[in-house]
Amino acid sequence: MRIDVLTLFPELFERFFAVSIVGNAAREGLVELAAHDLRDWTHDRHRTVDDAPYGGGPGMVMKPEPLVEAIEALAGPKGPDREARVVLMSPQGRRLDQPACEALSEVPRLLLVCGRYEGVDQRAIELAVDEEISVGDYVLCGGEIPAMVVIEAAVRLRPGALGNPESARTESFSTGLLEGPQYTRPPVFHGLSVPEVLRSGDHAAVAEWRADRARELTRCRRPDLLATSGEEES
Ligand code: SAH
């Protein structure tokens, strides 16, 4: 898998690409990662990437010329022959969830485009973008953190990225439920004990306890998930 990012702040990605699960996956060759500076595709002395909005209003809009030129240089022209999927990070996009992350983790080449200011000239989206993705119903200042969300969520699902592949199968949302509480040593902390069953060594009892806690937590906090998980709502 290869993921390119188009951004006004490529330096934000330097450490992100180097540490933890994402960094290890890159070092092991499970994913190739690169951040590109949109200003490299400007041609004026000031390296201008934004301009005032038509129709008035606050803020600035990202100009279409450098965006379309950069996207075509990195991903090819839009159309059936394009090898990469070009995704614009945008609050107007489809909201990201675990099934969408699973699908993204299987795309061989992604180009994530990060907006800034008030957003992107609509013509650049129509001419060069394949899909828009939102990371949630709130507005950030730029698409860089949303792009990191997509990268981390997709890369950790690549075979070999997680130390133990079992963790991706049992965690929240993969099962359609929230994952229940977890404990490590010590057995008693500030008077609070680890549930006896987890120390019993009885694997079937542990599995049943965990499934019960997951259902209980999901029913209490996210009953909306039960409707799609195949679990009965009571
Ligand atoms: N004026 C826009 C917000 C622009 S925020 C609006 O009202 O919808 C600037 C940039 O930040 C966007 O172009 C996008 O790339 C990024 N961004 C902000 N919030 C986001 C979100 N929830 N999901 C994905 N990208 C987001």
Side-chain angles (χ1 to χ4, degrees), residues 89-92 114-119 133-136 138-143 146:
M89 308 318 303
S90 162
Q92 287 107 41
C114 305
R116 278 270 156 183
Y117 317 114
E118 291 301 318
I133 290 182
S134 164
V135 293
Y138 45 85
V139 176
L140 299 166
C141 300

Side-chain angles (χ1 to χ4, degrees), residues 163-184:
N164 182 348
E166 182 65 15
S167 33
R169 280 198 288 277
T170 58
E171 66 201 357
S172 296
F173 308 114
S174 294
T175 55
L177 299 172
L178 302 176
E179 188 171 58
Q182 305 183 89
Y183 298 88
T184 183

Side-chain angles (χ1 to χ4, degrees), residues 8-219:
L8 290 171
F9 301 100
E11 66 274 22
L12 281 177
F13 291 85
E14 282 167 22
R15 295 301 299 148
F16 178 67
F17 286 168
V19 305
S20 189
I21 304 270
V22 169
N24 287 334
R27 276 186 291 279
E28 283 167 24
L30 300 176
V31 59
E32 262 181 275
L33 299 165
H36 307 270
D37 189 343
L38 176 63
R39 290 190 202 277
D40 291 347
W41 284 274
T42 56
H43 303 288
D44 63 314
R45 205 157 52 87
H46 300 291
R47 310 183 83 203
T48 311
V49 292
D50 60 325
D51 205 339
Y54 271 115
M60 300 294 268
V61 174
M62 289 177 79
K63 291 164 65 60
E65 304 94 320
L67 272 170
V68 171
E69 194 179 321
I71 292 171
E72 290 188 345
L74 293 168
K78 187 169 171 172
D81 295 335
R82 183 182 257 177
E83 279 178 27
R85 169 128 38 121
V86 177
V87 176
L88 174 68
M89 308 318 303
S90 162
Q92 287 107 41
R94 184 166 57 98
R95 200 161 57 187
L96 193 66
D97 57 14
Q98 192 66 17
C101 293
E102 279 159 24
L104 284 166
S105 77
E106 283 164 16
V107 174
R109 279 197 67 160
L110 277 174
L111 172 60
L112 305 179
V113 181
C114 305
R116 278 270 156 183
Y117 317 114
E118 291 301 318
V120 171
D121 186 292
Q122 184 62 29
R123 293 162 299 177
I125 302 175
E126 283 170 29
L127 290 168
V129 168
D130 298 314
E131 183 183 350
E132 294 176 63
I133 290 182
S134 164
V135 293
D137 292 346
Y138 45 85
V139 176
L140 299 166
C141 300
E144 286 75 14
I145 290 171
M148 291 182 197
V149 169
V150 168
I151 293 168
E152 191 161 290
V155 166
R156 66 193 294 287
L157 292 172
R158 297 292 297 173
L162 295 180
N164 182 348
E166 182 65 15
S167 33
R169 280 198 288 277
T170 58
E171 66 201 357
S172 296
F173 308 114
S174 294
T175 55
L177 299 172
L178 302 176
E179 188 171 58
Q182 305 183 89
Y183 298 88
T184 183
R185 281 182 291 192
V188 182
F189 180 67
H190 288 234
L192 299 174
S193 299
V194 172
E196 201 54 50
V197 59
L198 295 179
R199 292 191 280 156
S200 67
D202 179 341
H203 298 302
V206 168
E208 191 186 331
W209 184 88
R210 285 184 172 152
D212 287 346
R213 296 291 80 68
R215 268 193 299 274
E216 190 176 275
L217 192 70
T218 309
R219 192 168 294 127

